[in-house]
Protein backbone atom coordinates (compact mmCIF):
# COMPACT_ATOMS: atom_id res chain seq x y z
CA UNK A 1 0.00 0.00 0.00
CA UNK A 2 2.88 2.38 0.73
CA UNK A 3 4.28 1.80 -2.75
CA UNK A 4 0.85 2.43 -4.26
CA UNK A 5 0.60 5.70 -2.36
CA UNK A 6 4.04 6.74 -3.58
CA UNK A 7 3.04 5.95 -7.15
CA UNK A 8 -0.16 7.93 -6.73
CA UNK A 9 1.84 10.83 -5.35
CA UNK A 10 4.14 10.82 -8.37
CA UNK A 11 1.15 10.77 -10.69
CA UNK A 12 -0.42 13.73 -8.90
CA UNK A 13 2.84 15.69 -9.10
CA UNK A 14 3.13 14.92 -12.81
CA UNK A 15 -0.35 16.40 -13.30
CA UNK A 16 0.55 19.59 -11.44
CA UNK A 17 -0.68 18.62 -7.98
CA UNK A 18 1.14 18.97 -4.65
CA UNK A 19 1.82 16.04 -2.33
CA UNK A 20 2.86 16.56 1.30
CA UNK A 21 3.67 13.41 3.31
CA UNK A 22 2.41 13.79 6.88
CA UNK A 23 4.76 13.00 9.74
CA UNK A 24 2.37 10.87 11.78
CA UNK A 25 2.69 7.55 13.56
CA UNK A 26 -0.36 5.98 11.92
CA UNK A 27 -2.85 6.31 9.07
CA UNK A 28 -5.32 8.12 11.29
CA UNK A 29 -8.76 9.13 9.95
CA UNK A 30 -8.49 6.78 6.98
CA UNK A 31 -9.90 3.34 6.03
CA UNK A 32 -6.57 1.80 7.11
CA UNK A 33 -7.72 2.28 10.71
CA UNK A 34 -10.71 -0.08 10.33
CA UNK A 35 -9.25 -2.79 12.64
CA UNK A 36 -8.74 -0.20 15.38
CA UNK A 37 -12.27 1.13 14.85
CA UNK A 38 -13.67 -2.37 15.34
CA UNK A 39 -11.83 -2.80 18.65
CA UNK A 40 -12.81 0.71 19.74
CA UNK A 41 -16.49 -0.05 19.10
CA UNK A 42 -16.51 -2.69 21.83
CA UNK A 43 -14.79 -0.32 24.25
CA UNK A 44 -16.99 2.73 23.63
CA UNK A 45 -20.19 0.68 23.83
CA UNK A 46 -19.19 -0.49 27.31
CA UNK A 47 -18.96 3.09 28.60
CA UNK A 48 -21.91 5.03 30.00
CA UNK A 49 -21.65 8.48 28.44
CA UNK A 50 -23.68 11.53 29.45
CA UNK A 51 -25.18 14.26 27.32
CA UNK A 52 -22.75 17.21 27.10
CA UNK A 53 -23.68 20.33 29.05
CA UNK A 54 -22.23 22.50 26.27
CA UNK A 55 -22.13 22.08 22.51
CA UNK A 56 -19.50 19.54 21.38
CA UNK A 57 -18.83 19.51 17.65
CA UNK A 58 -18.27 16.21 15.85
CA UNK A 59 -15.33 16.25 13.44
CA UNK A 60 -17.24 13.75 11.26
CA UNK A 61 -20.34 15.91 10.69
CA UNK A 62 -19.09 19.39 11.71
CA UNK A 63 -22.31 19.70 13.74
CA UNK A 64 -23.04 19.43 17.48
CA UNK A 65 -23.72 15.99 18.92
CA UNK A 66 -27.48 15.65 19.43
CA UNK A 67 -27.49 12.82 21.96
CA UNK A 68 -25.34 10.13 23.59
CA UNK A 69 -25.95 7.66 20.77
CA UNK A 70 -24.61 10.12 18.19
CA UNK A 71 -21.49 10.67 20.29
CA UNK A 72 -20.61 6.99 20.21
CA UNK A 73 -21.41 6.67 16.51
CA UNK A 74 -19.27 9.69 15.63
CA UNK A 75 -16.34 8.65 17.82
CA UNK A 76 -16.24 5.32 16.03
CA UNK A 77 -16.65 6.86 12.58
CA UNK A 78 -13.96 9.50 13.07
CA UNK A 79 -11.27 6.82 13.32
CA UNK A 80 -11.70 5.99 9.64
CA UNK A 81 -13.22 9.27 8.38
CA UNK A 82 -11.59 12.54 7.36
CA UNK A 83 -11.68 15.45 9.80
CA UNK A 84 -14.04 18.18 8.57
CA UNK A 85 -11.80 20.90 9.98
CA UNK A 86 -12.81 23.79 7.73
CA UNK A 87 -16.50 22.90 7.96
CA UNK A 88 -16.24 22.77 11.75
CA UNK A 89 -14.60 26.18 12.03
CA UNK A 90 -17.08 27.71 9.62
CA UNK A 91 -19.99 26.25 11.61
CA UNK A 92 -18.59 27.68 14.86
CA UNK A 93 -18.01 31.06 13.26
CA UNK A 94 -21.18 31.41 11.20
CA UNK A 95 -23.78 29.46 13.17
CA UNK A 96 -22.67 30.04 16.78
CA UNK A 97 -20.84 33.35 16.21
CA UNK A 98 -17.58 32.19 17.82
CA UNK A 99 -14.82 34.72 17.13
CA UNK A 100 -12.14 33.64 19.61
CA UNK A 101 -10.41 30.25 19.67
CA UNK A 102 -8.09 28.85 22.34
CA UNK A 103 -5.87 25.85 21.64
CA UNK A 104 -5.49 23.81 24.84
CA UNK A 105 -3.01 21.22 23.56
CA UNK A 106 0.76 21.41 23.01
CA UNK A 107 2.31 23.85 20.50
CA UNK A 108 0.18 26.07 18.26
CA UNK A 109 -0.60 24.15 15.09
CA UNK A 110 -4.38 24.46 15.49
CA UNK A 111 -4.10 28.14 16.36
CA UNK A 112 -2.35 28.77 13.05
CA UNK A 113 -4.83 26.62 11.15
CA UNK A 114 -7.74 28.50 12.74
CA UNK A 115 -6.49 31.93 11.69
CA UNK A 116 -5.58 30.63 8.22
CA UNK A 117 -9.08 29.22 7.75
CA UNK A 118 -10.86 32.21 9.35
CA UNK A 119 -8.66 35.32 8.97
CA UNK A 120 -11.05 37.55 10.96
CA UNK A 121 -10.97 35.56 14.23
CA UNK A 122 -8.60 35.70 17.19
CA UNK A 123 -6.75 32.54 18.22
CA UNK A 124 -4.43 31.75 21.13
CA UNK A 125 -2.39 28.76 22.26
CA UNK A 126 -2.09 27.97 25.97
CA UNK A 127 1.31 26.43 25.31
CA UNK A 128 2.72 29.77 24.14
CA UNK A 129 3.62 32.22 26.92
CA UNK A 130 3.49 35.15 24.53
CA UNK A 131 -0.22 34.47 24.02
CA UNK A 132 -1.14 34.65 27.70
CA UNK A 133 -1.43 38.43 28.13
CA UNK A 134 -3.00 38.96 24.71
CA UNK A 135 -5.58 36.26 25.48
CA UNK A 136 -6.41 37.82 28.85
CA UNK A 137 -6.85 41.25 27.24
CA UNK A 138 -9.31 39.81 24.72
CA UNK A 139 -11.23 37.51 27.07
CA UNK A 140 -11.32 39.58 30.27
CA UNK A 141 -14.20 41.87 29.24
CA UNK A 142 -16.32 38.84 28.28
CA UNK A 143 -15.41 37.02 31.50
CA UNK A 144 -16.31 40.08 33.57
CA UNK A 145 -19.62 40.45 31.74
CA UNK A 146 -20.46 36.81 32.48
CA UNK A 147 -19.64 37.30 36.15
CA UNK A 148 -21.93 40.32 36.35
CA UNK A 149 -24.74 38.71 34.38
CA UNK A 150 -27.43 37.06 36.55
CA UNK A 151 -27.79 33.29 36.31
CA UNK A 152 -30.97 31.59 35.15
CA UNK A 153 -31.43 29.94 38.55
CA UNK A 154 -30.94 33.20 40.45
CA UNK A 155 -33.17 35.15 38.08
CA UNK A 156 -35.94 32.55 38.34
CA UNK A 157 -35.81 32.93 42.13
CA UNK A 158 -36.00 36.72 41.85
CA UNK A 159 -38.96 36.60 39.47
CA UNK A 160 -40.73 34.04 41.65
CA UNK A 161 -40.53 36.43 44.59
CA UNK A 162 -41.39 39.55 42.58
CA UNK A 163 -44.62 38.30 41.00
CA UNK A 164 -47.80 39.24 42.85
CA UNK A 165 -49.83 36.45 44.46
CA UNK A 166 -53.62 36.22 44.03
CA UNK A 167 -54.01 32.71 45.45
CA UNK A 168 -54.83 32.69 49.15
CA UNK A 169 -55.42 28.95 49.50
CA UNK A 170 -52.66 28.08 52.00
CA UNK A 171 -52.38 24.40 51.05
CA UNK A 172 -52.21 25.18 47.34
CA UNK A 173 -49.68 27.93 48.01
CA UNK A 174 -47.43 25.57 49.97
CA UNK A 175 -47.54 22.98 47.20
CA UNK A 176 -47.46 25.30 44.20
CA UNK A 177 -45.17 28.08 45.41
CA UNK A 178 -43.19 27.24 48.54
CA UNK A 179 -42.09 23.75 47.48
CA UNK A 180 -41.03 24.69 43.92
CA UNK A 181 -39.21 27.75 45.28
CA UNK A 182 -37.35 25.55 47.75
CA UNK A 183 -36.21 23.35 44.86
CA UNK A 184 -35.02 26.45 42.99
CA UNK A 185 -33.13 27.58 46.07
CA UNK A 186 -31.44 24.20 46.49
CA UNK A 187 -30.38 24.18 42.81
CA UNK A 188 -29.01 27.72 43.11
CA UNK A 189 -27.08 26.99 46.31
CA UNK A 190 -25.56 23.86 44.77
CA UNK A 191 -24.23 25.79 41.78
CA UNK A 192 -23.10 28.72 43.90
CA UNK A 193 -21.06 26.32 46.05
CA UNK A 194 -19.39 24.59 43.10
CA UNK A 195 -19.06 27.61 40.82
CA UNK A 196 -20.41 25.56 37.92
CA UNK A 197 -22.92 26.92 35.43
CA UNK A 198 -26.30 25.27 35.18
CA UNK A 199 -26.71 22.86 32.27
CA UNK A 200 -29.39 23.56 29.63
CA UNK A 201 -31.54 20.81 31.17
CA UNK A 202 -31.21 22.44 34.60
CA UNK A 203 -32.16 25.82 33.15
CA UNK A 204 -35.30 24.28 31.67
CA UNK A 205 -36.09 22.62 35.01
CA UNK A 206 -35.75 26.00 36.74
CA UNK A 207 -38.10 27.62 34.24
CA UNK A 208 -40.63 24.84 34.73
CA UNK A 209 -40.50 25.46 38.49
CA UNK A 210 -40.97 29.19 37.88
CA UNK A 211 -43.94 28.45 35.64
CA UNK A 212 -45.44 26.25 38.35
CA UNK A 213 -45.03 29.08 40.86
CA UNK A 214 -46.60 31.69 38.58
CA UNK A 215 -49.47 29.35 37.68
CA UNK A 216 -50.23 28.84 41.36
CA UNK A 217 -50.03 32.58 42.04
CA UNK A 218 -52.59 33.22 39.28
CA UNK A 219 -50.26 35.21 37.03
CA UNK A 220 -51.75 36.07 33.63
CA UNK A 221 -50.42 34.46 30.45
CA UNK A 222 -49.26 37.87 29.22
CA UNK A 223 -47.23 38.54 32.37
CA UNK A 224 -45.79 35.01 32.33
CA UNK A 225 -44.52 35.56 28.80
CA UNK A 226 -43.00 38.90 29.80
CA UNK A 227 -41.31 37.28 32.80
CA UNK A 228 -39.96 34.38 30.76
CA UNK A 229 -38.52 36.80 28.23
CA UNK A 230 -37.04 38.87 31.04
CA UNK A 231 -35.19 35.82 32.42
CA UNK A 232 -33.95 34.75 28.99
CA UNK A 233 -32.74 38.19 27.88
CA UNK A 234 -31.14 39.29 31.15
CA UNK A 235 -29.22 36.02 31.49
CA UNK A 236 -28.26 35.81 27.80
CA UNK A 237 -29.83 32.35 27.52
CA UNK A 238 -32.42 32.97 24.82
CA UNK A 239 -31.31 29.88 22.90
CA UNK A 240 -31.47 27.53 25.90
CA UNK A 241 -34.87 28.91 26.93
CA UNK A 242 -36.37 29.28 23.46
CA UNK A 243 -39.24 26.90 24.30
CA UNK A 244 -40.55 29.38 26.88
CA UNK A 245 -40.44 32.45 24.62
CA UNK A 246 -43.21 32.93 22.08
Amino acid sequence: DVEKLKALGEQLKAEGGAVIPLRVSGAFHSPYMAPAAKEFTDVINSIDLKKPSIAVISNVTAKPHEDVASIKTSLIAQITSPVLWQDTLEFLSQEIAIDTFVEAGPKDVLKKLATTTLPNVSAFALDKQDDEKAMQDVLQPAIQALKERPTVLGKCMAVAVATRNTNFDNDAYQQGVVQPYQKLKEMHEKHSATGLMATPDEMVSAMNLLQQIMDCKGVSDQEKQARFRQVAEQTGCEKELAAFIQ
Side-chain angles (χ1 to χ4, degrees):
D1 288 339
V2 174
E3 293 304 318
K4 290 180 180 179
L5 286 173
K6 287 182 178 179
L8 176 60
E10 294 302 321
Q11 181 180 343
L12 289 172
K13 290 179 183 179
E15 296 181 9
V19 177
I20 304 175
L22 299 179
R23 298 175 59 185
V24 294
S25 57
F28 307 120
H29 307 295
S30 79
Y32 293 101
M33 295 296 294
K38 184 176 181 181
E39 291 185 29
F40 182 74
T41 300
D42 295 333
V43 174
I44 196 66
N45 285 335
S46 68
I47 298 174
D48 183 22
L49 300 179
K50 303 297 183 183
K51 184 178 180 181
S53 59
I54 61 174
V56 177
I57 312 301
S58 166
N59 61 16
V60 175
T61 64
K63 296 291 188 295
H65 291 294
E66 296 180 354
D67 49 39
V68 171
S70 73
I71 296 175
K72 293 186 175 183
T73 300
S74 295
L75 286 176
I76 295 167
Q78 62 90 27
I79 296 176
T80 57
S81 303
V83 175
L84 301 185
W85 172 257
Q86 181 171 336
D87 292 345
T88 296
L89 288 187
E90 289 176 348
F91 175 83
L92 289 169
S93 175
Q94 297 171 11
E95 301 297 328
I96 310 184
I98 300 296
D99 59 7
T100 304
F101 295 82
V102 178
E103 181 175 358
K107 300 185 179 180
D108 60 352
V109 175
L110 298 183
K111 166 194 169 181
K112 293 176 180 177
L113 288 173
T115 52
T116 300
T117 306
L118 302 173
N120 295 324
V121 305
S122 299
F124 307 95
L126 295 182
D127 199 37
K128 298 296 180 180
Q129 291 185 347
D130 293 344
D131 279 7
E132 185 174 350
K133 185 179 185 308
M135 181 174 63
Q136 290 179 349
D137 290 343
V138 170
L139 297 180
Q140 192 56 44
I143 293 173
Q144 188 61 35
L146 284 174
K147 288 181 178 179
E148 295 174 354
R149 178 184 292 172
T151 66
V152 170
L153 303 185
K155 194 62 186 176
C156 283
M157 291 177 62
V159 170
V161 172
T163 49
R164 187 167 63 92
N165 176 50
T166 60
N167 183 355
F168 300 102
D169 182 324
N170 187 60
D171 290 340
Y173 189 86
Q174 285 292 324
Q175 184 174 354
V177 176
V178 176
Q179 292 179 15
Y181 184 84
Q182 186 60 35
K183 291 180 181 177
L184 271 175
K185 183 179 178 183
E186 290 172 357
M187 292 171 65
H188 184 261
E189 289 176 346
K190 168 191 163 186
H191 285 280
S192 296
T194 61
L196 297 175
M197 292 182 61
T199 66
D201 286 344
E202 288 172 325
M203 293 181 189
V204 170
S205 295
M207 291 289 276
N208 284 330
L209 290 170
L210 175 59
Q211 181 169 7
Q212 184 179 349
I213 290 170
M214 291 194 293
D215 286 343
C216 184
K217 282 188 170 185
V219 177
S220 68
D221 289 341
Q222 183 178 1
E223 183 180 353
K224 277 189 284 189
Q225 268 302 305
R227 294 292 193 177
F228 287 151
R229 185 166 293 280
Q230 177 187 4
V231 173
E233 291 179 351
Q234 292 186 7
T235 60
C237 294
E238 292 96 329
K239 181 178 179 181
E240 291 84 353
L241 305 178
F244 295 88
I245 306 172
Q246 294 180 356

